[in-house]
Amino acid sequence: MQSVKVYADPSASELVEGFRRIRRGMGLAESFPAAVQREAERVALRPVEPGPGRADRTDLDLVTIDPPGSRDLDQAFYGQRTAGGYRVHYAIADLGHFVDPGSELEAESLRRGATLYSPDTRTPLYPPVLGEGAASLLPGVDRPAVLWTIDVDPAGWVRSTVVDRAIVRSRQQMTYEQAQRLLDSEAGGESLEVMREVGSARLRIEEERGGVDLRIPEQQINKTAGGFELAYRSDHSVERWNAQISLMTGIAAASMMLHNGTGLLRTLPPPAEETLAGLRASAAVLGLEWPRGLPYQAMVRRQSPADPRSAAFLAAARVLFRGAGYQFFTGEPPDQANHYAVAAPYAHVTAPLRRMADRLCNELLLAGGREAPDWLVTRLADAPEVMKQAERRARELESRIVDYVEARLLAGRLGDEFDATVVQCGGKGCVVQLASPAVLATAEGEGRLGERVRVRLTSADPESGKVRFDFL
């Protein structure tokens, strides 16, 4: 992960108190109920032993690759070259080993749905004794896992998939930066080289099948030694390759669900014609050529986030991602089985420490679909609404915190002028993206999409999170 530091607040305690007020205002729990905590502490002591239904695969040289400081480690990777291409071993934290159907722990996970992230802390799906301890794929310790073994041909196409329970032991916890540095210096070894080769091949396949690759600079708030920083985030190549391994696993999972006749798919319908027409109009306003017959996906891939006109177009292109959700089915596949951005059927299975649905999907595939027990079918049927509410809370929390930090950052700078780019227009004003600090806010007046402008700060209220600029 790369970022440009643009802000560090020396009074970090004031920011932390602001984050707490936001979470309390949303009704987010600061701790787990006593009964849930006791149960988590008890099941965390369950032994992990090889036997029928759980193979000992501590021989695999698995590693995890995550942002710095991560403790909730969902996935571990090991890749090797074979005579027919590659074999990918993808170990996923096995929450089914700890979470019993009908337990207090499961009920709390259904209430929460997903882990929510704040700059100072996380509001976890599971108590830390599990999510950052006994269930996390931390290095040097035996852990229960759902082990995906995927054989891939030299061109990146999946040839076979096997899903089993296993005991695994991660050899090392890496950051994206560390993994990228090893690969760049040709010191990554066979496994990381396989991630690069398979990930690169899957990126090509994604383009061929019409997948969407929206590389938009995102705002994020990072915790630092001196406080917090507000930055625009970009990714390392290894992060994209790792994401492709996860996507490949999710596509394989969906294929198995459709074959078995029962599943929980992550879906996104194709955009309406009027939505695409509006996006074409935005491209025309920006002066970007969109040749007749060129698909949306290919148009997106032509854009560089470093170009202000392209950045504005990419920001507008996010409108096509509205409507993503989960679809449970049993028997006939649903009419809407595809995920438009993935350009294939897709399921969430690789982040069970952070998403409730992933635990259920792994349990379903281990059970063989139609042989799934009644309790699991009931949970799967309820999952779309559970995850919808969790995603709503995550979006609201992120938006409130970013708005608060922006307003705190700018509160003492009324009247200052800034360089910015217009990334959205409509109604009575436009949304502008400041070059520094990393702020997105409304500017009153008229502007053109993609235009570089000067703006003056006219208001910044931390309590409401409202920031306003005027065009000069």
Side-chain angles (χ1 to χ4, degrees):
M1 181 180 65
Q2 297 172 324
S3 68
V4 178
K5 183 174 179 180
V6 295
Y7 171 59
D9 193 320
S11 57
S13 61
E14 295 181 21
L15 275 175
V16 168
E17 184 53 39
F19 301 151
R20 288 174 180 158
R21 285 198 303 271
I22 290 169
R23 290 191 293 267
R24 290 167 185 161
M26 291 179 58
L28 302 182
E30 296 185 346
S31 61
F32 285 85
V36 174
Q37 184 64 36
R38 286 194 299 270
E39 185 174 299
E41 291 170 359
R42 176 175 56 80
V43 300
L45 299 176
R46 283 180 176 171
V48 185
E49 299 174 345
R54 191 177 296 278
D56 185 344
R57 295 311 314 270
T58 55
D59 59 304
L60 298 174
D61 289 332
L62 294 157
V63 299
T64 59
I65 309 177
D66 292 276
S70 296
R71 294 284 299 173
D72 51 346
L73 309 183
D74 288 291
Q75 314 113 17
F77 171 86
Y78 174 60
Q80 55 192 143
R81 298 186 180 94
T82 65
Y86 307 95
R87 174 160 288 180
V88 169
H89 300 276
Y90 210 39
I92 306 301
D94 183 6
L95 271 297
H97 179 75
F98 302 101
V99 182
D100 297 327
S103 65
E104 293 283 350
L105 192 57
E106 186 191 50
E108 185 67 14
S109 74
L110 293 172
R111 283 189 287 270
R112 294 182 179 229
T115 294
L116 304 180
Y117 292 90
S118 306
D120 59 322
T121 189
R122 59 173 62 91
T123 306
L125 177 60
Y126 297 105
V129 68
L130 287 181
E132 299 178 21
S136 180
L137 302 182
L138 298 167
V141 289
D142 291 356
R143 287 291 186 258
V146 179
L147 183 63
W148 290 73
T149 304
I150 305 175
D151 285 336
V152 182
D153 74 11
W157 294 97
V158 172
R159 292 300 178 226
S160 67
T161 306
V162 177
V163 187
D164 290 306
R165 281 197 153 97
I167 300 173
V168 301
R169 183 185 303 148
S170 170
R171 299 298 194 266
Q172 184 179 0
Q173 180 179 353
M174 292 186 185
T175 65
Y176 289 115
E177 184 175 354
Q178 289 170 333
Q180 188 69 58
R181 190 164 55 245
L182 286 171
L183 284 166
D184 291 345
S185 63
E186 301 300 326
E190 181 181 8
S191 184
L192 285 182
E193 289 172 359
V194 167
M195 175 177 284
R196 175 171 58 192
E197 292 165 19
V198 173
S200 297
R202 295 298 300 183
L203 282 167
R204 290 192 292 271
I205 290 172
E206 180 180 71
E207 184 173 1
E208 291 170 6
R209 71 173 185 262
V212 180
D213 185 20
L214 265 183
R215 301 188 68 192
I216 304 171
E218 298 177 355
Q219 284 177 299
Q220 66 178 20
I221 302 164
N222 303 320
K223 193 171 185 178
T224 69
F228 297 88
E229 64 179 12
L230 184 62
Y232 293 125
R233 176 186 184 278
S234 60
D235 54 11
H236 291 287
S237 295
V238 72
E239 191 169 354
R240 300 182 72 207
W241 300 327
N242 190 45
Q244 285 298 318
I245 302 297
S246 180
L247 275 171
M248 178 177 71
T249 306
I251 292 171
S255 178
M256 295 170 70
M257 290 175 181
L258 291 167
H259 178 267
N260 293 338
T262 303
L264 180 66
L265 301 176
R266 178 64 167 169
T267 61
L268 177 66
E273 284 301 320
E274 55 266 30
T275 303
L276 280 174
L279 194 56
R280 283 186 173 275
S282 295
V285 169
L286 289 165
L288 298 173
E289 182 184 3
W290 190 338
R292 186 176 298 277
L294 184 71
Y296 159 83
Q297 297 91 328
M299 180 62 179
V300 166
R301 289 180 181 275
R302 286 187 171 193
Q303 312 309 312
S304 168
D307 177 75
R309 295 184 305 159
S310 291
F313 177 80
L314 291 171
R318 285 182 292 191
V319 68
L320 274 69
F321 284 72
R322 296 173 185 168
Y326 291 82
Q327 177 71 53
F328 169 69
F329 72 96
T330 186
E332 291 297 315
D335 293 336
Q336 175 53 48
N338 263 29
H339 190 291
Y340 178 75
V342 178
Y346 173 59
H348 275 161
V349 292
T350 62
L353 290 172
R354 291 169 281 173
R355 287 188 304 245
M356 184 279 300
D358 297 48
R359 172 179 64 89
L360 300 180
C361 288
N362 277 300
E363 290 298 318
L364 176 67
L365 293 169
L366 289 163
R370 288 183 181 273
E371 301 174 11
D374 290 343
W375 73 264
L376 182 53
V377 174
T378 299
R379 301 293 186 277
L380 288 163
D382 292 339
E385 183 61 26
V386 171
M387 297 309 297
K388 178 181 178 181
Q389 294 305 318
E391 290 175 347
R392 179 194 60 77
R393 288 191 293 272
R395 288 192 301 271
E396 181 181 353
L397 178 62
E398 179 182 17
S399 176
R400 287 193 183 192
I401 284 179
V402 169
D403 287 350
Y404 167 69
V405 172
E406 287 180 338
R408 271 289 313 269
L409 166 61
L410 295 170
R413 302 188 61 179
L414 295 182
D416 285 5
E417 298 177 6
F418 302 85
D419 292 317
T421 300
V422 179
V423 296
Q424 184 179 330
C425 283
K428 297 182 179 180
C430 300
V431 175
V432 295
Q433 176 178 300
L434 272 60
S436 179
V439 168
L440 290 166
T442 299
E444 302 293 337
E446 296 184 3
R448 297 191 303 274
L449 279 176
E451 181 183 16
R452 293 184 186 272
V453 296
R454 289 283 288 178
V455 293
R456 179 184 291 115
L457 180 65
T458 56
S459 67
D461 178 19
E463 287 302 313
S464 66
K466 300 293 185 183
V467 174
R468 291 289 183 271
F469 293 88
D470 282 342
F471 286 105
L472 295 179

